[in-house]
Amino acid sequence: MIHSLFLINHLGDIFLEKHWKSVISRSVCDYFFEAREKAVDPENVPPVLQTPHHYLISIYRGKLFFLSVIQTEVPPLFVIEFLHRVADTFQDYFGECSESVITDNLVIVYELLEEMLDNGFPLATESNVLKEMIRPPNILRSVVNTLTGGSNVGETLPQGQLSNIPWRRAGVKYANNEAYFDVTEEIDAIVDKSGTTVSAEIQGVIEACVKLSGMPDLTMSFMNPRLLDDVSFHPCVRFRRWESERVLSFIPPDGNFTLMTYHISSQNLVAIPVYVKQSINFFEAGSCGRLDITIGPKQTMGKTVEDLKVTIHMPKAVLNANLTATQGNYTYDCTTKMLVWDIGKLNPQKLPNLRGSLSMQTGVPNPEENPSLNIDLKIQQLAISGLKVSRLDMYGEKYKPFKGVKYVTKAGKFQVRT
């Protein structure tokens, strides 16, 4: 299925390649490099490219491209999901997924790829099973392996690989049994000049950190599960139970994992947390312009908006900005034409304001359209969709675990037009 894998950095250099069958020349990546040059941003590169003899399927993670070469027609989402699993595994093993970390741990990387894919087909992709077969790196183990000529590969096949619960390793024991769940939602929205919502949707994810002894069987119930109309689950979730009762029933993997992701596209269910009053004008006479921006809370359910930041990509004709901020600091990069206003925590009693003049290049016609405002924000202890966990029960074990749920709302691609 997957013939070869190439890892490419943001400069376009291939720094790692792995072939599961015959070796494919690096020249096959030329089609990908052509598409990369045409795309404005790395995220805009088409994930599936067709060449005369191959299909190229890629993802972009951590300023790296994971590019797979396929010789026969396969479901693209299947390959994309596997590539994300590879990136997640590197993140889990090494703490980050970057070129420097991968090149520092090449031996373990090749061992992982050899176990995750067998003759081009996915084999072991669960973190628990992989960590029993290939031990994560640490300084002591590296020193011992160097002196003794040993390796990180385990001598026995993990029991989980042979069971009907391959995502959980056997014989897990903890002194403190605890289960934590993080509900994180990102708002993608476009708001027009009058403040009307043009489009809005929510991308949500429930991340879990479960450290429970034995073989616990968990059940998670929601106060309003009907909000979730487009969901994707970890393989541990019993899908029939969800379909019939809208309850998550599962035997969890050990440690960190993504329990589920969801997507809410119904616009009337998406609350916009802040409003923006803005005015950006470029004058015909003279070489100047005016900017005035005020931000206030809108639908925050009484929670505080934190890490608030406004980014504006100014037209090329704007040379400099002479502005005054009532809260936070602003910077203007004359080279990239990027204006960044870092506000911080939003104070509802005294709304932050940024105003002043823009220096324009003389003899250049005024910009045909005003720039858009990109908003970044974070709201702790709030799921903006209204999703809430009502119960978390455990069966199959006699101890009483400590349980906790945390909610966070962030801005994804949040744009205000001017």
Side-chain angles (χ1 to χ4, degrees), residues 18-136:
K18 167 70 177 163
H19 308 278
W20 281 271
K21 297 181 181 178
S22 59
V23 175
I24 290 182
S25 171
R26 289 188 174 190
S27 61
V28 74
C29 299
D30 291 345
Y31 297 95
F32 170 80
F33 293 136
E34 288 177 12
R36 171 68 185 90
E37 286 180 10
K38 293 176 183 176
V40 179
D41 298 315
E43 292 87 351
N44 295 336
V45 177
V48 182
L49 297 170
Q50 186 175 1
T51 74
H53 303 290
H54 305 92
Y55 295 98
L56 304 180
I57 300 179
S58 64
I59 65 167
Y60 184 67
R61 288 277 298 267
K63 296 185 179 181
L64 300 179
F65 285 100
F66 290 72
L67 177 67
S68 60
V69 181
I70 316 295
Q71 284 192 318
T72 57
E73 195 168 326
V74 298
L77 288 177
F78 187 90
V79 180
I80 289 171
E81 174 62 23
F82 174 77
L83 294 178
H84 279 293
R85 285 288 184 98
V86 172
D88 290 340
T89 302
F90 292 166
Q91 178 84 31
D92 192 22
Y93 262 71
F94 311 127
E96 63 175 308
C97 183
S98 64
E99 180 184 1
S100 60
V101 168
I102 290 173
T103 50
D104 287 344
N105 296 277
L106 277 179
V107 174
I108 296 177
V109 166
Y110 278 110
E111 288 171 349
L112 286 170
L113 292 174
E114 199 64 49
E115 295 295 341
M116 294 183 76
L117 215 63
D118 180 39
N119 199 34
F121 290 88
L123 179 63
T125 58
E126 289 295 333
S127 180
N128 279 200
V129 172
L130 285 169
K131 283 181 178 177
E132 286 191 73
M133 289 193 288
I134 300 164
R135 301 178 190 91

Side-chain angles (χ1 to χ4, degrees), residues 16 37 94 168 186 188 273 403:
L16 183 143
E37 286 180 10
F94 311 127
R168 186 171 181 85
E186 284 194 356
D188 295 337
K403 300 170 286 188

